[in-house]
Amino acid sequence: RYIEKEVGPASLPEKLQVVAKARLEYPDESCSDLADYLGLSKSTLKNRLNKLGEIAEKIKEENN
């Protein structure tokens, strides 16, 4: 949500945009279910979610 608010999803690579959009649409889904929905392995999904977290932290640091 922070990335969406601060810089917009278009600033992300397409693969991360897909994951971010799915997580926002299905916030209560487990990682396993979300990975299945996206056709990804759980490991790939977790890596992309971690990358989104890193990007959000970087944006927060730059805004301070």
Side-chain angles (χ1 to χ4, degrees):
R1 295 181 198 268
Y2 186 79
I3 294 170
E4 181 178 44
K5 179 182 144 194
E6 294 296 320
V7 297
S11 66
L12 299 170
E14 186 177 344
K15 290 178 180 181
L16 294 180
Q17 285 181 32
V18 170
V19 170
K21 181 180 176 187
R23 177 45 81 202
L24 289 173
E25 288 181 19
Y26 305 103
D28 298 327
E29 290 296 322
S30 68
C31 283
S32 181
D33 288 343
L34 198 59
D36 288 343
Y37 171 73
L38 294 172
L40 301 172
S41 68
K42 287 190 295 184
S43 176
T44 298
L45 177 68
K46 287 186 180 213
N47 286 336
R48 291 181 185 174
L49 289 171
N50 287 338
K51 183 66 177 173
L52 287 167
E54 290 171 10
I55 291 170
E57 286 300 317
K58 185 176 178 182
I59 293 168
K60 285 179 186 177
E61 288 175 9
E62 290 173 357
N63 288 342
N64 286 333

